């Protein structure tokens, strides 16, 4: 990933296609918690095989910009990383970069303590409590259009909220159902804002925008703003960002997006080591959060037919649109024929044409197993995509933490893609001229 970096190393940088938010210039701070030293590297890996090799070393892959991966390596992982033989650039201490992003002021107006809020420059983001408040407000403002339900609890007991948006939301009508999920990965806070924007747009816009009214009336739209609320709260709980990715199951978390039950752990696209950032868990669906979403999706099989036709899972960062399969680099595989692969690619490219993201099969990035998209497709034939949002590239850990001024432009950037997606959700193959 090409990157800009604070003063010292700026001159060493290659091309950078995107702006990077200005970091405060600070001197490296000592690692005040007991976590191992984490160093940011840029790795040049110009094929899916090379990128998969990097992922398999166990380093934390933050983002990808063409052949360039940004990773965090703990001291003990650096040997494996060097052993790949791929060109490396050392970009310094990860925790110093995180500390430089700011520290929350936990003192609220009443002089009390609000231990779960964002640092200054980020207060426009919704923490879990604020997300719930927003959902409740939507219910009171648009009782005729929405229904709020919990899919069950996270590991630490937070509700996994799902908001349904449709005309007659209390009735299960015979309309194509569409699912949007956000925040599988804790630190990807911008995705919560993306789900909240979809909610706002398709409720507030209903009365005045005929396109929105048509889509809401003819679809049943399910939005889950946070699939991993425990991880997201933990990421902000100390006042400084932790770059936490996984859920909060003992002892060191499970990566929800390696825990889904299709070809779980099959192919070197996840890790069996609990300390790894891509730890797949001890068994498929061992994470309460993936279980809850799985059970919900399974419950939408009515009369033998899966009602949910399409799904987008929002992540950050790298500005990509990804589709199955992730477990294999083959374009087709059992359960995914050439026509289907073509429909995935065609809709993916059409959406990418509206937001400037790069469209590709997810294994073109690197091989993964146990991802949500593979399960949704293999188990239910749900046309399931991942959007990796802004930024395209970043100086290390800051890619997960764009300032809150980016919320509006970077979520609005996906309005057209979401609208196109909803439009084709009655029949995705229609985009290739085929029928359903
Ligand atoms: C991804 C998403 C879905 C299927 C395959 C790959 C990319 C995603 C990941 O590794 O889970 N990248 S991310 N958001 O940085 O973790
Ligand atoms: Ca309806
Ligand atoms: Ca229905
Ligand atoms: Zn992610």
């Amino acid at each position: 990933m090409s990157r800009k970096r604070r003063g010292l190393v700026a001159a060493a940088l290659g091309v950078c296609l995107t702006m990077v938010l200005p970091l405060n210039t600070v001197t490296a701070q000592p690692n005040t918690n007991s976590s191992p030293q984490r160093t940011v590297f840029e790795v040049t890996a110009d094929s899916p095989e090379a990128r998969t090799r990097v992922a398999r070393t166990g380093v934390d892959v933050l983002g990808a910009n063409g052949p360039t991966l940004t990773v965090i390596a703990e001291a003990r992982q650096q040997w494996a990383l060097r052993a790949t033989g791929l060109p490396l650039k050392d970009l310094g201490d990860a925790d110093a970069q995180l500390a430089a992003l700011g520290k929350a002021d936990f003192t609220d107006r009443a002089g009390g303590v609000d231990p779960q809020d964002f640092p200054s420059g980020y207060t426009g983001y919704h923490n879990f409590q604020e997300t719930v408040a927003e959902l409740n407000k939507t219910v009171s403002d648009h009782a005729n259009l929405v229904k709020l339900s919990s899919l069950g609890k996270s590991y630490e007991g937070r509700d996994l909220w799902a908001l349904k948006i449709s005309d007659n939301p209390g009735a299960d009508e015979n309309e194509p159902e569409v699912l949007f999920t956000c925040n599988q990965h804790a630190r990807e806070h911008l995705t919560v804002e993306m789900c909240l924007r979809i909610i706002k747009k398709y409720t507030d816009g209903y009365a005045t925008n005929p396109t929105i009214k048509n889509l809401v009336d003819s679809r049943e739209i399910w939005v889950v703003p946070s699939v991993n609320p425990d991880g997201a709260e933990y990421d902000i709980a100390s006042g400084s960002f932790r770059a936490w990715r996984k859920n909060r199951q003992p002892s060191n978390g499970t990566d929800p997006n390696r825990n889904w039950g299709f070809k779980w752990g099959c192919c070197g696209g996840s890790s069996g080591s609990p300390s790894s950032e891509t730890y797949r868990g001890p068994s498929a669906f061992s994470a309460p959060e993936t279980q809850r979403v799985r059970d919900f999706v399974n419950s939408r099989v009515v009369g033998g037919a899966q009602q949910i036709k399409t799904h987008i899972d929002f992540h950050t960062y790298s500005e990509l649109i990804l589709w199955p399969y992730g477990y294999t680099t083959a374009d087709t595989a059992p359960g995914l024929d050439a026509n289907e692969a073509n429909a995935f690619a065609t809709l993916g490219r059409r959406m990418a044409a509206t937001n400037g993201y790069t469209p590709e099969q997810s294994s073109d990035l690197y091989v993964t197993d146990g991802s949500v998209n593979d399960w949704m497709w293999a188990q239910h034939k749900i046309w399931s995509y991942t959007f990796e949002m802004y930024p395209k590239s970043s100086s290390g850990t800051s890619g997960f933490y764009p300032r809150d001024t980016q919320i509006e432009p970077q979520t609005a950037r996906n309005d057209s893609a979401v609208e196109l997606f909803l439009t084709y959700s009655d029949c995705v193959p229609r985009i290739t001229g085929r029928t359903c």
Side-chain angles (χ1 to χ4, degrees), residues 57 61 67 78 158 184 189 201 206 245 253 276 286-287 323 428:
T57 64
V61 180
Q78 290 182 24
R158 294 182 179 86
Q184 263 208 98
H189 302 284
K201 196 173 166 61
Y206 184 86
R245 168 183 173 91
S276 166
S286 55
W323 56 82
V428 169

Side-chain angles (χ1 to χ4, degrees), residues 172-175 177 220 300 307:
D172 183 3
E173 299 192 301
N174 187 19
E175 297 165 346
E177 299 183 22
E220 295 179 307
R300 297 314 304 143
Q307 302 298 297

Side-chain angles (χ1 to χ4, degrees), residues 85-227:
L86 297 166
L88 298 183
K89 196 185 291 176
D90 182 330
L91 294 175
D93 184 72
D95 290 286
Q97 290 186 14
L98 289 167
L101 296 175
K103 180 90 184 169
D105 178 2
F106 282 166
T107 309
D108 68 19
R109 251 183 261 115
V113 164
D114 179 7
Q116 237 115 65
D117 211 351
F118 283 86
S120 95
Y122 299 89
T123 54
Y125 284 89
H126 291 74
N127 64 23
F128 184 68
Q129 183 194 315
E130 292 162 347
T131 299
V132 174
E134 194 65 36
L135 295 173
N136 286 323
K137 184 177 183 324
T138 307
V139 172
S140 62
D141 289 352
H142 301 286
N144 57 328
L145 283 183
V146 303
K147 191 190 80 174
L148 183 60
S149 49
S150 171
L151 307 184
K153 304 279 192 190
S154 67
Y155 177 77
E156 290 179 346
R158 294 182 179 86
D159 276 302
L160 305 175
W161 292 109
L163 191 80
K164 177 186 174 186
I165 309 171
S166 191
D167 62 344
N168 311 312
D172 183 3
E173 299 192 301
N174 187 19
E175 297 165 346
E177 299 183 22
V178 182
L179 175 64
F180 296 103
T181 51
C182 293
N183 199 202
Q184 263 208 98
H185 289 141
R187 61 197 174 191
E188 300 170 10
H189 302 284
L190 184 62
T191 66
V192 175
E193 306 307 317
M194 188 67 231
C195 270
L196 291 176
R197 182 178 180 94
I198 292 170
I199 289 170
K200 221 175 163 33
K201 196 173 166 61
Y202 286 86
T203 54
D204 287 353
Y206 184 86
T208 52
N209 182 329
T211 307
I212 284 178
K213 182 175 189 309
N214 280 335
L215 288 169
V216 168
D217 287 348
S218 62
R219 313 271 182 265
E220 295 179 307
I221 305 167
W222 299 94
V223 186
V224 183
S226 182
V227 168

Side-chain angles (χ1 to χ4, degrees), residues 275-298:
S275 61
S276 166
E277 293 292 348
T278 54
Y279 178 50
R280 66 179 82 99
S283 57
F285 294 117
S286 55
E289 297 83 7
T290 57
Q291 272 177 41
R292 299 292 96 84
V293 180
R294 172 201 65 188
D295 291 349
F296 166 67
V297 172
N298 287 348

Side-chain angles (χ1 to χ4, degrees), residues 31-94:
N31 188 2
T32 49
N33 57 33
S34 57
S35 55
Q37 190 180 340
R38 303 189 294 175
T39 306
V40 182
F41 288 92
E42 179 180 293
V43 189
T44 306
D46 62 6
S47 67
E49 292 71 25
R51 290 188 287 277
T52 300
R53 247 194 297 144
V54 172
R56 282 178 184 160
T57 64
V59 298
D60 184 2
V61 180
L62 307 183
N65 185 16
T68 311
L69 298 178
T70 305
V71 307
I72 295 178
E74 294 175 9
R76 63 192 173 83
Q77 294 166 333
Q78 290 182 24
W79 294 105
L81 191 60
R82 291 186 199 288
T84 62
L86 297 166
L88 298 183
K89 196 185 291 176
D90 182 330
L91 294 175
D93 184 72

